[in-house]
Amino acid sequence: MRHAMRGLLALVCAIALSLTFSSANARSAPVSNAMTTPTGTGCTPGQIFGNPGFETGQASPWTTTAGVINGNGSGETARTGSYFAWLDGYGTTHTDTLSQQVSIPTSCHAILFFWLHVDTQETTTVTAYDTLTVTANSTTLGTYSNLNANTGYVEKAFDLSSMAGQTVTITFTGTEDNIYATSFVIDDTALQLI
Amino acid sequence: MSATTSLRRGIALSGAAVVLAVGAGLTISAAGADAATNTSLAGTWSVVVVEHSQGGPFTRTGTFTYYQDGTGTVQTSGGFTGDLNWQQSGGSISFTFEHNLPGSGLAYGTESGTISGTTFTSTGTIDTFNSNGDETDSFEGDFTGTLQ
């Protein structure tokens, strides 16, 4: 009987030992690289513009002048979806704006993306009569004009990482002179945190 | 010692030996499986990037560090630096990165692929923009990473 008990004890010990080794390996192996890696920047990545493609058909949370948000069938066409922002295109002295305020966390890099289509009645190849200016607060990121007229949309991107930790207002301002229309059509914006 | 006692001892010892052998086998199998399939992307990796740009394939090297919180940093040959974020589900990985380019331009890439042991591979698209925000190139980028 005593020998039988000793055998049973050996059996239990063997099972316990086996389970201990198996459990230890199952926990530690998958995170072996992570154990020596710093925690990270803490940035929560992602796109932070509201209504980035204007697909609600409304401006909010963008702030716009009248008539900027338009849908397919209005004379221009969205790059994706059904809606877009259309600045100018009147052929008279006119200014349209489109803006949105966002906060860029200190821990993040940030990139502004948007797609731009320009068409114009202007015939000059040297003079920028009608312009679109893109700003982040008081910093001018880029300026486009009737000279950038194209048949489709082109993508633009700007690094806003220097503005981390700030509340930033991104503003598109289209300014048209008194004759010959130029349309600045914007779609699929993104302010991407990385 | 009676014959019965001797028989019982023999059965008990044999049983323990079998359990030990099976347990050891399971342990080795589990450790091997973990090493082969469950490596985390968290860590510092030497990467080779083959850029299929307009001028033909171009190979660039770099160091990508993937932090545990899903963020990370990028260093590429040429002295360009930037950041990334990443996700992993089993052996499938994806990551997005950006780094600066000369003249305040930037490169932005999205990649997806697989990881096994100390190697990952991925493919995706890299877009480059100049300081005026104009896209200057868009091409396929193939990554091979080796854990440092």
Side-chain angles (χ1 to χ4, degrees):
Chain A
M1 185 61 186
R2 197 166 57 194
H3 294 299
M5 289 298 290
R6 187 181 297 170
L8 183 60
L9 183 62
L11 183 68
V12 170
C13 287
I15 292 173
L17 191 63
S18 174
L19 287 174
T20 300
F21 284 151
S22 298
S23 177
N25 276 297
R27 276 200 301 267
S28 62
V31 294
S32 56
N33 302 336
M35 297 300 284
T36 57
T37 305
T39 302
T41 65
C43 177
T44 300
Q47 195 290 117
I48 59 172
F49 270 150
N51 194 17
F54 313 105
E55 291 306 308
T56 66
Q58 308 293 320
S60 180
W62 295 92
T63 299
T64 72
T65 46
V68 166
I69 306 303
N70 287 268
N72 288 341
S74 61
E76 296 285 359
T77 303
R79 175 182 172 271
T80 62
S82 302
Y83 292 92
F84 49 87
W86 182 357
L87 284 71
D88 297 336
Y90 294 94
T92 59
T93 303
H94 187 86
T95 298
D96 272 332
T97 61
L98 169 74
S99 65
Q100 185 170 151
Q101 186 180 78
V102 294
S103 294
I104 301 176
T106 304
S107 57
C108 293
H109 274 59
I111 301 176
L112 168 67
F113 292 99
F114 63 92
W115 289 79
L116 174 66
H117 165 63
V118 182
D119 63 36
T120 185
Q121 294 174 340
E122 301 282 2
T123 56
T124 178
T125 57
V126 294
T127 306
Y129 290 113
D130 307 318
T131 61
L132 174 73
T133 302
V134 186
T135 59
N137 290 343
S138 60
T139 301
T140 298
L141 301 174
T143 300
Y144 310 97
S145 72
N146 48 283
L147 301 178
N148 299 113
N150 48 53
T151 55
Y153 283 87
V154 291
E155 189 176 21
K156 308 291 182 183
F158 295 95
D159 191 345
L160 301 185
S161 300
S162 63
M163 296 185 161
Q166 300 180 37
T167 297
V168 178
T169 299
I170 305 298
T171 303
F172 299 85
T173 303
T175 304
E176 203 171 20
D177 71 357
N178 64 337
I179 192 169
Y180 298 129
T182 299
S183 295
F184 300 100
V185 188
I186 297 165
D187 201 4
D188 297 332
T189 69
L191 210 162
Q192 192 74 33
L193 301 181
I194 296 177
Chain B
M1 183 164 53
S2 70
T4 304
T5 302
S6 178
L7 181 59
R8 283 177 182 167
R9 176 190 288 178
I11 291 172
L13 288 175
S14 298
V18 167
V19 169
L20 275 173
V22 171
L26 287 174
T27 301
I28 292 168
S29 297
D34 287 339
T37 61
N38 286 348
T39 303
S40 171
L41 190 58
T44 300
W45 298 74
S46 298
V47 300
V48 175
V49 188
V50 179
E51 301 178 346
H52 301 278
S53 55
Q54 293 173 357
F58 177 79
T59 300
R60 189 183 299 277
T61 59
T63 301
F64 279 41
T65 299
Y66 300 81
Y67 296 140
Q68 294 177 53
D69 69 349
T71 64
T73 59
V74 175
Q75 289 182 305
T76 71
S77 54
F80 306 130
T81 60
D83 291 272
L84 63 82
N85 58 73
W86 63 277
Q87 294 181 314
Q88 180 173 358
S89 176
S92 298
I93 59 170
S94 61
F95 56 96
T96 299
F97 68 93
E98 65 84 25
H99 65 71
N100 65 314
L101 290 175
S104 301
L106 66 92
Y108 180 83
T110 55
E111 293 279 322
S112 60
T114 58
I115 184 172
S116 180
T118 57
T119 303
F120 80 77
T121 58
S122 69
T123 189
T125 301
I126 301 173
D127 298 314
T128 60
F129 299 85
N130 63 20
S131 59
N132 292 322
D134 301 322
E135 186 172 40
T136 52
D137 207 348
S138 179
F139 50 86
E140 180 185 314
D142 299 328
F143 278 63
T144 300
T146 304
L147 185 64
Q148 289 187 352

